[in-house]
Amino acid sequence: MRGCFNGAVPTQRGGRTVVPLKASHRARVPGVVHEMSASGATLYVEPLRDVEANNAVVAARDRYAAEVRRVLRELTGEVALKRLDLERAVAVTARFDCVQARARYARAHAGAAAQVGPLALHRARHPELGDAAVPLDLAMTPDARIMIITGPNTGGKTVCLKTVGLLCLMNQAGLEIPAAPDSTLPIYRGIYADIGDEQSITASLSTFSAHVENLAAIMNAATDCSLVLIDELGTGTDPEEGIALSRAMLDRFRDAGVTVIATTHHGALKAYAYTETGVTNASMEFDGHTLRPTFRSSKGFRGRAMRSTSPGAIACRTP
């Protein structure tokens, strides 16, 4: 009989024990065929002498499953009676878990609780940059709610915007921020940003039109309790048209009392703060000797320092 089987180990088919029998020896083992292999060379047969034993196993398995269902129904009923208590326990546990997570995050990033007040960040760091972050100092006053930041390419202007926006959101989410303890932040009802290139081929949106569409939505939504962050203001189109449109938008934001921080390379917008009230300038510093950005911000526009970092000056000093 050993030569009748394709393997000496019984297997399972449909929850019943069967043996792999060679199709050529089907007549030698009376029983029930449950399955045939893809090649047709093997039949999975339940021998007749094992049918009653398999029936007993199946019946025991069914009784076990029925008992499990009964126990689960009883336990579910008992849990349902305590549903409200359990929901309250889950809510309290989640709250404690959230508090603990915030505390661990603050400890990991040397966070501090910002006080409510005018936007003034001291030694602020973007949490994703870790130890590589250069501390940022940035402050605004209630009488100058628009700040225009200038500086060289890759000098940290966009990182500055993202740091301010992220720290404001973290503060309003109840998180300690990676900044000095004397930092203060207002409570904004809306924080809006136009950062990056949102052009879309499928939607027929160019870089400029995408920015205009986004800024139009921001202008309609922003109030005197809003913070607006704009990267590379006035770019993506003819410089004169971009400058004119940017000045009009800044005037609209200023008249509405919106807090705005914007970056730009346009000289006319750099001078905007000197001709309009309620607007201030800041710049990202650049080391004219090493020709590298320092990623530090300073209040005001330092014309001489920026002239020394013009493309022509850099080209002349680059070997």
Side-chain angles (χ1 to χ4, degrees):
M1 292 290 291
R2 291 184 179 179
C4 298
F5 302 103
N6 281 331
V9 180
T11 185
Q12 293 280 322
R13 288 295 184 274
R16 303 181 74 87
T17 302
V18 296
V19 292
L21 179 68
K22 293 180 180 179
S24 58
H25 294 77
R26 170 69 184 88
R28 301 190 61 180
V29 180
V32 180
V33 177
H34 286 268
E35 191 175 312
M36 178 185 293
S37 66
S39 64
T42 302
L43 301 175
Y44 295 94
V45 178
E46 179 184 5
L48 290 178
R49 66 180 184 181
D50 296 333
V51 170
E52 289 302 322
N54 274 334
N55 289 342
V57 170
V58 171
R61 188 184 296 120
D62 290 343
R63 290 193 299 272
Y64 173 80
E67 183 65 14
V68 168
R69 288 194 295 270
R70 185 190 66 79
V71 172
L72 290 177
R73 278 196 300 269
E74 289 184 3
L75 292 177
T76 301
E78 293 180 10
V79 170
L81 296 176
K82 302 291 184 180
R83 179 177 62 85
L84 295 179
D85 292 337
L86 290 172
E87 288 178 350
R88 283 192 290 266
V90 169
V92 171
T93 302
R95 188 174 182 84
F96 277 115
D97 184 60
C98 183
V99 170
Q100 185 182 50
R102 292 201 298 262
R104 288 183 174 180
Y105 188 87
R107 178 179 296 178
H109 294 277
Q115 302 300 313
V116 177
L119 197 160
L121 292 172
H122 305 291
R123 298 191 61 77
R125 306 174 307 281
H126 195 293
E128 290 190 5
L129 296 180
D131 295 336
V134 176
L136 170 71
D137 292 290
L138 186 144
M140 301 185 70
T141 58
D143 58 342
R145 305 188 70 170
I146 294 180
M147 175 179 286
I148 298 176
I149 301 177
T150 62
N153 289 320
T154 70
K157 299 188 299 299
T158 302
V159 173
C160 175
L161 290 183
K162 292 182 177 181
T163 301
V164 173
L166 179 59
L167 266 55
C168 287
L169 290 171
M170 290 174 60
N171 178 59
Q172 295 187 198
L175 294 169
E176 294 188 356
I177 62 173
D182 58 344
S183 298
T184 59
L185 288 173
I187 302 300
Y188 294 109
R189 293 189 178 181
I191 299 177
Y192 306 94
D194 182 66
I195 300 175
D197 187 356
E198 299 295 334
Q199 65 172 302
S200 171
I201 297 176
T202 57
S204 299
L205 285 177
S206 66
T207 298
F208 178 69
S209 59
H211 281 300
V212 169
E213 184 177 285
N214 193 26
L215 288 170
I218 292 174
M219 291 176 66
N220 291 330
T223 68
D224 58 352
C225 294
S226 300
L227 171 66
V228 175
L229 307 171
I230 307 174
D231 193 26
E232 299 296 350
L233 184 63
T235 58
T237 187
D238 177 80
E240 292 186 2
E241 294 179 356
I243 291 170
L245 184 60
S246 298
R247 288 177 64 97
M249 286 191 294
L250 291 175
D251 287 341
R252 169 80 175 271
F253 283 130
R254 184 190 57 182
D255 294 341
V258 180
T259 301
V260 179
I261 303 177
T263 68
T264 187
H265 285 292
H266 287 306
L269 293 178
K270 297 174 186 178
Y272 180 77
Y274 296 111
T275 59
E276 302 293 336
T277 59
V279 187
T280 185
N281 261 331
S283 60
M284 303 304 295
E285 297 179 356
F286 192 93
D287 192 324
H289 297 287
T290 63
L291 302 181
R292 294 180 180 275
T294 66
F295 304 105
R296 299 183 185 278
S297 64
S298 60
K299 202 71 174 291
F301 169 54
R302 301 190 299 173
R304 179 177 300 177
M306 294 304 296
R307 283 195 297 272
S308 67
T309 62
S310 65
I314 293 176
C316 291
R317 300 182 61 175
T318 301

